[in-house]
Amino acid sequence: MSNYNEKIILLEDDMDWREPYVDLDPRSNPNSKFLKTVFNPEEDTFVHFIISNLRKTIDVYKNSILTEWNLEYDEWVDENIDEIIEFEDNKQVFSRYVTGNIRSLLTLAFDVYCLQIEGAFHNAFKKRLIHIDQFQSVQYEIAVASILLRAGFKLTYDGDSIKNKNGNSCEFIGIHKITKDKISFEAKSKRFKGVLGFFGGNNLEDLKSNFLGGLFNKAKQQKLEDLPFIVFIDTNVPPSKDIGLGVISYFDELTTFFEGDHNKYVNNNEKTPYNYIITTNFSDHYAGKNVVTNKNSFTTIFSEQPEHQIINNDDLIRNDILRSLQNYKRGLNIITRVTT
């Protein structure tokens, strides 16, 4: 979708792209009533629209990270256009390079927008986004919820229904719109000292191949007793400059780690608590004010013998989630016309 020097082209009327399960066009989706602002394509771009919606949803200036990103966004909007592209119909399209901070803000704004326009934005998200100590966790939960929404799931965050007998809660429960399979989900993001407002934990320099072990074990404890279980876990490490085709060098080691966990159950003739393990690296924020590339990397492990099978159509659900992962940020990119 993009070249090395990522650019967003500010054009509001390229909204032909559709997700199979949701209508992301605020002009046609009746759930636009859940949004905090109205989209007027004659006066504003879609990019500005989702930023305005985010700013009216939460007080971004109560969070120092969001404050930095928003101030940089305002400067970015006022900067000179980097490039003008002429189309056959004589329409001019204006583009700007995108930094890590800008893409992080736009991604969050787009995810919030996706949840709101489907009536799936949990009230607790609003409160947690302004707390610096909760920001990284809730940002990832919102990203995963947005991915699942576009994969065809209707989400619920009800307190009692997401708790297991030990009192541990999963993130949310999703019911697939087509298969009607009911699945529990957990989303974890690895924290590092000095990253996204977190001042405890390990240093990035001390990274080991099993650095997700503790977080993964905690996630497994949050499985509900009677439902299939899918774990999303974000590595939150700086993207390598040599990433290509969705591959990250250490993902091979992580795959070996997760396969080892899976095989431990299989070799002991036990069932795994999880159906899928999905590892991501959504880490644009490390680029800061530098130009960022659109590197969307993830890896997956599918259990051979989970405790609870996805009964109705495991293949469709697997494909829908993989498609949504592969298209993560694609909605933002296409709606705002990223150069290819």
Side-chain angles (χ1 to χ4, degrees), residues 215-231:
L215 199 61
F216 179 50
N217 287 331
K218 185 176 180 180
K220 289 192 288 185
Q221 296 172 13
Q222 293 172 262
K223 180 191 182 300
L224 301 186
E225 287 82 10
D226 56 347
L227 292 179
F229 186 48
I230 296 177
V231 176

Side-chain angles (χ1 to χ4, degrees), residues 82-98:
D82 292 317
E83 184 178 359
I84 298 178
I85 299 175
E86 297 282 351
F87 283 86
E88 292 180 359
D89 57 2
N90 295 321
K91 182 179 292 182
Q92 288 186 332
V93 183
F94 307 99
S95 70
R96 291 191 177 98
Y97 289 101
V98 182

Side-chain angles (χ1 to χ4, degrees), residues 159-188:
D160 291 337
S161 66
I162 63 174
K163 286 185 178 180
N164 60 28
K165 64 182 181 181
N166 295 320
N168 297 321
S169 299
C170 65
E171 226 66 73
F172 26 74
I173 292 172
I175 300 177
H176 195 270
K177 293 180 179 179
I178 302 299
T179 73
K180 307 304 180 184
D181 282 292
K182 190 175 183 180
I183 302 171
S184 58
F185 295 91
E186 182 59 27
K188 297 287 188 189

Side-chain angles (χ1 to χ4, degrees), residues 132-242:
I132 196 72
D133 60 331
Q134 300 181 41
F135 177 69
Q136 179 182 327
S137 297
V138 70
Q139 182 189 25
Y140 188 58
E141 291 165 25
I142 289 171
V144 171
S146 179
I147 289 167
L148 293 173
L149 185 82
R150 296 192 294 274
F153 285 92
K154 182 177 180 180
L155 304 177
T156 180
Y157 312 89
D158 291 341
D160 291 337
S161 66
I162 63 174
K163 286 185 178 180
N164 60 28
K165 64 182 181 181
N166 295 320
N168 297 321
S169 299
C170 65
E171 226 66 73
F172 26 74
I173 292 172
I175 300 177
H176 195 270
K177 293 180 179 179
I178 302 299
T179 73
K180 307 304 180 184
D181 282 292
K182 190 175 183 180
I183 302 171
S184 58
F185 295 91
E186 182 59 27
K188 297 287 188 189
S189 179
K190 180 64 177 178
R191 287 181 152 191
F192 292 104
K193 188 174 183 179
V195 178
L196 289 177
F198 186 65
F199 297 102
N202 299 324
N203 293 311
L204 275 167
E205 293 76 14
D206 301 329
L207 205 63
K208 298 179 181 179
S209 60
N210 63 345
F211 72 98
L212 295 179
L215 199 61
F216 179 50
N217 287 331
K218 185 176 180 180
K220 289 192 288 185
Q221 296 172 13
Q222 293 172 262
K223 180 191 182 300
L224 301 186
E225 287 82 10
D226 56 347
L227 292 179
F229 186 48
I230 296 177
V231 176
F232 283 78
I233 190 162
D234 192 72
T235 58
N236 185 34
V237 299
S240 171
K241 292 182 180 179
D242 60 359

